[in-house]
Amino acid sequence: MAAFWQQRGRRQDHGGLGGVIDGLGSVFDVLLANARLVLGVSGAAVLAIATLAVKKLIDRATSPRDEGDPKAEQKTLEETWQDLALIKTTPKPPKKQRREDLSKPLLSPARPLVPGEALDPRASSAPLGAPRVKSSPLRCLTLQEKLLSHHRSRLAVPEIQVSLVPQLARSISTQLQSFLRSKCPELPFGRLFLRGALLDGLEVLAADHIHLMLPVVLDAGLWSLIPGEDTVVRNPHYWMIKRVDLGYFPRGCSPWDRFMVGRYLSSNVLSETLHKMLVASINWPAIGGLLGCVIHPVVASRELKLEVKHDQVELSITLLPVVEMEGKVLLAVPPEGLVENLWLESFYRAEVSKVKELDAADSGARQRCLRILNGVCRSHPTLHKLGGSPVTHVILHLSDSGSDWAEESLADRFQQVLEELVAYLEKGVLPSYFNPKINLFSGLSEEEIDEMGFVLYRAMSEPELLLE
């Protein structure tokens, strides 16, 4: 009782505020007692919650603060905001609908917004009693839907490039073929042909490069192939072309003997000879004027490369001497270093043929998955060396495991390819699908492998990151 009177005395000391509070409390009690009769059960519940919150505010405002608690004022403010939020979020009881209201429209037509007029949220709110139309939440796309949308909208090559690039490349090929026949009639070059992802339907983003293949026709009786793993380089990805039977067919019997180093046909010597002709002997300004474009040979490049600028496209054409012997396709692309007689084995034709064959057999989505991954690698500064052949061989390895490549499983296969790539990068070895002795990662440095592995490891949990 002493405590009670002490508390009462404190309230009276605050200018008679205790009497006012007691009076308000009596009014609240009377309201609560009659609320159920006047407002019904739901109305009484709302009024009770509001009354409780107001009483808490009044009690907290008049109650003494603990002098030893420096955060008492802050706690009081926080609790006050919580109570106010409680009052604001309390749902209002629905208005009882009359029979004559049923014939009225639920929503009145919205007044058109005048340009420059600020939108008043109070004016746009629905009247009390009218049912609120809930806006449906944004639909989250699945990885499958994101991949298909990315393939349709982000990877398509502009139509002008699809039609104009092959046309320009073929015209340049015709001019170059005529020059070689007139300049080097003794060299049995085959007919030039084009090769590239654009022609095979696997190009993405932009058709800004294409390969121009120059066949080097050899007499099979005068030349033979030596595997690179049997040479000093010990690399099965390369081959050497050896001149044979020099005792019966001395040097000079083959028109290609002039490009030999020792007893081997040198890819480096042949490329240097063609490079000099491209730069110094061909009148590219005249050819460009005839074709409506500007053609420049790249002087500083080790490759045989032409830069073509047209009003609508810019194109890079790489000329590649190619030898086809004993079922092998060998390119004059020697590795950097002192060895200059090596020819790189190409699997591109076999890769494209195998992927299309598998897709035709089971209506699979391998080509679509390959295009998406090639687009990701091409646009990503860290993964650009991973596109093309490495990704294709991973897909071919997965196809042998009996995976479902139907279009409905595109997302699962996409994630599985990422996981396989990370596993191969951890080992630092990706065996070729057509020759397991060949490591397709042999041309990458350890730093490049680590960076690619880190990017793909993060993408395993969030593949959508690669599509941004």
Side-chain angles (χ1 to χ4, degrees):
M1 291 293 295
F4 172 78
W5 287 110
Q6 184 179 1
Q7 185 71 15
R8 181 180 177 90
R10 289 179 182 176
R11 292 182 178 179
Q12 290 177 350
D13 292 339
H14 290 285
L17 184 60
V20 175
I21 294 172
D22 292 340
L24 289 176
S26 301
V27 173
F28 290 152
D29 292 339
V30 173
L31 288 176
L32 291 176
N34 296 278
R36 184 170 181 177
L37 297 176
V38 177
L39 301 177
V41 176
S42 60
V46 172
L47 182 60
I49 294 175
T51 303
L52 179 61
V54 173
K55 291 180 69 175
K56 282 186 178 181
L57 292 176
I58 296 174
D59 291 342
R60 193 173 294 117
T62 57
S63 61
R65 300 186 180 93
D66 295 335
E67 297 180 358
D69 188 1
K71 296 184 178 181
E73 183 177 356
Q74 180 180 358
K75 292 180 181 179
T76 304
L77 289 175
E78 292 177 357
E79 293 174 356
T80 303
W81 283 113
Q82 293 175 2
D83 292 335
L84 289 176
L86 177 63
I87 297 175
K88 290 182 179 181
T89 57
T90 303
K92 298 180 179 180
K95 181 181 178 181
K96 186 176 181 181
Q97 205 155 19
R98 295 173 299 175
R99 182 181 298 273
E100 55 268 25
D101 293 337
L102 297 178
S103 60
K104 297 181 180 180
L106 294 179
L107 294 176
S108 59
R111 180 178 61 86
L113 184 63
V114 179
E117 179 183 2
L119 181 61
D120 188 359
R122 292 173 299 176
S124 62
S125 60
L128 182 63
R132 297 182 179 181
V133 179
K134 295 183 179 180
S135 60
S136 59
L138 294 177
R139 180 170 173 265
C140 296
L141 297 179
T142 63
L143 177 59
Q144 175 83 8
E145 293 169 330
K146 290 180 180 179
L147 289 173
L148 294 176
S149 175
H150 183 80
H151 182 268
R152 288 191 301 266
S153 60
R154 301 275 303 271
L155 300 182
V157 180
E159 187 62 31
I160 185 62
Q161 295 185 11
V162 174
S163 59
L164 187 56
V165 165
Q167 179 183 346
L168 271 177
R170 290 189 179 96
S171 299
I172 294 174
S173 172
T174 300
Q175 297 295 324
L176 184 57
Q177 187 87 63
S178 300
F179 169 80
L180 291 175
R181 287 177 179 175
S182 62
K183 183 72 173 179
C184 310
E186 74 283 1
L187 295 178
F189 287 112
R191 185 173 183 82
L192 287 161
F193 63 93
L194 304 181
R195 176 176 292 175
L198 174 64
L199 304 176
D200 298 311
L202 299 176
E203 186 61 272
V204 293
L205 301 179
D208 54 0
H209 67 283
I210 201 165
H211 289 153
L212 188 56
M213 315 303 291
L214 176 61
V216 175
V217 182
L218 299 178
D219 188 346
L222 300 178
W223 304 90
S224 65
L225 300 183
I226 306 298
E229 55 190 323
D230 296 339
T231 66
V232 66
V233 295
R234 302 295 180 186
N235 191 337
H237 207 168
Y238 291 90
W239 293 75
M240 299 183 75
I241 304 176
K242 184 178 181 180
R243 180 70 156 81
V244 297
D245 293 336
L246 284 175
Y248 294 97
F249 304 99
R251 192 182 185 100
C253 291
S254 173
W256 303 106
D257 288 345
R258 55 187 284 196
F259 303 103
M260 283 198 307
V261 173
R263 296 184 60 180
Y264 300 94
L265 181 63
S266 174
S267 57
N268 193 39
V269 173
L270 178 60
S271 296
E272 287 179 353
T273 302
L274 292 172
H275 190 277
K276 291 177 182 178
M277 288 191 293
L278 288 178
V279 172
S281 302
I282 303 179
N283 190 352
W284 291 116
I287 295 176
L290 181 64
L291 301 178
C293 60
V294 178
I295 306 174
H296 292 292
V298 182
V299 179
S301 175
R302 294 179 69 245
E303 299 177 316
L304 306 175
K305 186 175 292 186
L306 301 173
E307 298 292 345
V308 182
K309 293 185 178 180
H310 190 271
D311 292 339
Q312 296 174 301
V313 296
E314 292 188 4
L315 174 64
S316 175
I317 298 178
T318 302
L319 180 65
L320 289 174
V322 55
V323 172
E324 295 191 36
M325 282 186 63
E326 302 177 11
K328 311 295 182 184
V329 179
L330 307 179
L331 305 179
V333 184
E336 296 183 4
L338 299 177
V339 181
E340 57 183 23
N341 296 337
L342 297 177
W343 294 72
L344 177 68
E345 184 174 7
S346 172
F347 299 102
Y348 178 79
R349 186 167 62 189
E351 293 166 5
V352 174
S353 176
K354 186 65 177 178
V355 169
K356 291 187 176 182
E357 176 187 341
L358 292 172
D359 271 354
D362 59 7
S363 300
R366 295 172 185 83
Q367 296 177 72
R368 182 168 296 177
C369 184
L370 179 58
R371 280 192 291 267
I372 295 174
L373 288 168
N374 281 342
V376 167
C377 293
R378 182 170 182 176
S379 60
H380 200 286
T382 303
L383 304 177
H384 67 278
K385 289 187 177 181
L386 199 58
S389 187
V391 173
T392 305
H393 285 250
V394 172
I395 291 177
L396 291 176
H397 284 306
L398 282 178
S399 298
D400 282 348
S401 64
S403 301
D404 180 15
W405 280 95
E407 183 175 320
E408 295 77 11
S409 303
L410 176 61
D412 294 335
R413 298 291 79 77
F414 182 83
Q415 289 185 294
Q416 193 175 5
V417 171
L418 296 182
E419 295 170 2
E420 292 294 315
L421 278 172
V422 170
Y424 287 126
L425 287 168
E426 287 178 348
K427 299 176 183 177
V429 176
L430 173 57
S432 168
Y433 180 80
F434 302 100
N435 186 355
K437 297 179 181 179
I438 297 175
N439 177 18
L440 298 179
F441 289 161
S442 60
L444 301 176
S445 65
E446 292 186 4
E447 182 179 359
E448 290 173 333
I449 291 177
D450 291 341
E451 290 177 353
M452 293 177 183
F454 176 73
V455 171
L456 293 178
Y457 181 78
R458 291 181 56 196
M460 285 172 56
S461 57
E462 295 183 79
E464 296 84 355
L465 294 176
L466 297 177
L467 306 179
E468 296 177 353

